[in-house]
């Protein structure tokens, strides 16, 4: 089965992070940044990383890009609960290499939270430009 879905991961699905086992993709070399700025916060008691679907706010977010099969994408969709009212939404965004030719953009999927799900009182940290291992140590799985 071809790896034809490109997914930008910025949080727990990154290589070496808590939910990486669900990410069965093939990593593209290097790091990537969002072309547009997005708010990235640690949210609630679980300290979940939320990138908010509100382009133009926040910062350019750094992450990794993976090519994933339809089966792997379905597993990621299930983890991110995209069909639940309070889940993430898999949306197309543009990313560029973090180093090198930043005009070399790609359209990829990313798991974003709708702005209407965000309550400012839920924000524990951010906005961030990158989700670090120190942040991941605060994360509490569902």
């Amino acid at each position: 089965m071809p790896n034809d879905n490109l997914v930008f991961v910025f949080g727990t699905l990154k290589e070496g992070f808590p939910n990486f086992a669900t990410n069965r993709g093939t990593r593209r070399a290097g790091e990537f940044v969002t072309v547009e700025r997005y708010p990235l916060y640690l949210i609630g008691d679980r300290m979940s990383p939320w990138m908010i679907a509100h382009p133009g706010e926040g910062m350019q977010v750094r992450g990794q890009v993976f090519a994933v099969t339809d089966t792997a994408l379905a597993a990621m969709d299930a983890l991110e609960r995209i069909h639940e009212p309070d889940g993430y939404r898999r949306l197309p965004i543009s990313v560029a290499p973090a180093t090198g030719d930043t005009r070399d953009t790609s359209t990829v999927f990313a798991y974003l939270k709708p702005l209407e799900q965000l309550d400012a009182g839920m924000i524990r940290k951010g906005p961030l430009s990158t989700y670090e291992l120190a942040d991941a140590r605060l994360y509490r799985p569902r």
Side-chain angles (χ1 to χ4, degrees), residues 13 18-25 71-80:
L13 286 166
N19 288 324
F20 181 65
T22 303
N23 179 352
R24 299 222 164 71
T71 303
L73 189 65
M76 293 166 88
D77 286 354
L79 175 76
E80 302 295 10

Side-chain angles (χ1 to χ4, degrees), residues 55-105:
E57 297 294 319
M59 300 182 220
Q60 284 184 294
V61 176
R62 191 177 187 100
Q64 304 166 349
V65 172
F66 287 82
V68 301
T69 63
D70 289 343
T71 303
L73 189 65
M76 293 166 88
D77 286 354
L79 175 76
E80 302 295 10
R81 304 171 64 250
I82 68 165
H83 301 296
E84 300 296 326
D86 64 343
Y88 291 80
R89 302 294 174 255
R90 179 167 35 93
L91 300 171
I93 66 166
S94 293
V95 298
T99 57
D101 190 349
T102 56
R103 295 169 301 175
D104 182 20
T105 64

Side-chain angles (χ1 to χ4, degrees), residues 6 15 26-32 63-67 96-99 104:
L6 293 178
E15 190 169 1
T26 303
R27 186 170 172 188
R28 294 282 167 100
E31 296 242 309
F32 292 82
Q64 304 166 349
V65 172
F66 287 82
T99 57
D104 182 20

